[in-house]
């Protein structure tokens, strides 16, 4: 009887021991499988994030085990469902935080999704059939006219005569309105009486030093400007040697030159081209008559020229009717698919 009892106790212990051994083996196998699946799922998540980062408008930054993902609202993140990894999600405003834990409860990866408002598509840039640069000469007598031109919210350029009562003030005001301003450099014209009354004028008989001195004085009066054109100048611009003297000096200062073409014999544009000075020339005057309707007709003509040749520069003058006519023609210019540009945008 005693032996039988001992046998049953021994058998029970053996069964218990074998059960514990098999349970340990099973647990060890489970652990290995879960660890393997955890590594595999982490890799799959990394691949999914890499594919997400290739989508337009998605940016991903990684710091340690944290992925910060910027994406537009409505974009599908496409992160895989996991088994070995347990996902804990929390949402606050436009941010979703996903914490991935392994089967032991340890943190393995964090994905922070920031959902941004979609960026509106950039409209295609309009392709114009021509460029029209309008340069307004003779700024300097007042600032009131600058305020009238200030209502034109388009690229328009101005040329200021130095040494007039409001030259520097008008220049400053026009620049505040966003316009481009250049120096309207006085040069000898055909009218000797007018030449003698024009302060700081360049004369053909001047020495190189005198030309430099007067040019510098004009710049000092207005402040540093990027370019200049000729005020009057039908005698001076015909003088090839003097134009070369002036333009070489202007080139050293990094300035461009616009030839107003007050004479068909001007050497300004051709000399500037030879010297490598950025330059262009006037193709049309807009206000030989100061009548508004007449100016509007000339602007229409300039628009046609711009479409035919690709670009032109036209000159008007600093007076109210010029401003009124130009403002009233802005819609026409746009409808004709011609772009208004600053003088610096037509240089060669």
């Amino acid at each position: 009887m005693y032996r039988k009892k001992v046998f049953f106790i021994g058998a029970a212990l053996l069964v218990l021991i074998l059960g514990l051994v098999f349970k340990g083996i099973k647990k060890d196998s489970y652990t290995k499988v879960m660890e393997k699946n955890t590594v595999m799922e982490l890799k799959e998540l990394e691949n999914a994030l890499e594919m997400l980062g290739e989508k337009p408008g998605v940016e991903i930054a990684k710091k340690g085990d944290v992925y910060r993902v910027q994406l537009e609202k409505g974009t599908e993140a496409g992160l895989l469902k996991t088994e070995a990894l347990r996902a804990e999600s929390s949402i606050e405003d436009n941010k979703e935080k996903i914490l991935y834990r392994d089967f032991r409860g340890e943190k393995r990866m964090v994905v922070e999704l920031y959902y941004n408002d979609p960026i509106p598509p950039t409209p295609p840039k309009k392709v114009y059939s021509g460029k029209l640069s309008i340069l307004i000469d003779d700024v300097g007598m007042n600032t009131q006219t600058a305020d009238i031109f200030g209502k034109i919210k388009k690229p328009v350029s101005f040329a200021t005569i130095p040494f007039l009562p409001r030259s520097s003030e008008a220049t400053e005001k026009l620049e505040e309105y966003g316009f481009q301003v250049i120096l309207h450099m006085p040069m000898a014209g055909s009218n000797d009486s007018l030449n003698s009354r024009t302060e700081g004028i360049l004369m053909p008989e001047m020495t190189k030093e005198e030309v430099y001195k007067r040019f510098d004085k004009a710049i000092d009066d207005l402040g540093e400007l990027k370019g200049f054109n000729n005020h009057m100048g039908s005698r001076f611009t015909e003088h090839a040697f003097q134009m070369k003297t002036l333009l070489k000096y202007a080139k050293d200062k990094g300035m461009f030159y616009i030839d107003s073409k007050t004479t068909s014999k001007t050497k300004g544009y051709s000399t500037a081209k030879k010297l490598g000075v950025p330059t262009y020339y006037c193709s049309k005057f807009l206000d030989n008559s100061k009548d508004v309707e007449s100016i509007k007709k000339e602007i229409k003509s300039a628009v046609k020229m711009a479409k035919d040749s690709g670009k032109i520069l036209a000159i008007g003058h600093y007076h109210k009717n010029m401003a009124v006519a130009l403002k009233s023609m802005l819609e026409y210019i746009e409808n004709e698919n011609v772009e208004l540009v600053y003088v610096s945008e037509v240089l060669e």
Side-chain angles (χ1 to χ4, degrees), residues 60-128:
I60 300 180
K62 182 184 179 185
K63 187 174 182 181
D65 58 2
V66 179
Y67 289 81
R68 290 182 174 85
V69 184
Q70 302 281 347
L71 67 167
E72 293 181 357
K73 289 179 181 177
T75 302
E76 179 59 48
L79 300 182
L80 302 175
K81 291 187 180 297
T82 56
E83 295 179 4
L85 292 169
R86 185 174 75 251
E88 301 172 3
S89 177
S90 61
I91 299 176
E92 182 180 350
D93 296 329
N94 292 333
K95 174 185 174 183
E96 180 181 4
K97 181 178 180 180
I98 306 174
L99 170 60
Y100 292 95
R101 297 184 185 275
D102 63 19
F103 65 100
R104 294 189 181 92
E106 295 179 1
K107 183 180 76 170
R108 300 300 295 268
M109 180 188 287
V110 177
V111 178
E112 296 177 349
L113 301 169
Y114 296 86
Y115 293 97
N116 304 316
D117 291 328
I119 300 173
T122 303
K125 187 175 181 181
K126 183 173 181 178
V127 178
Y128 290 94

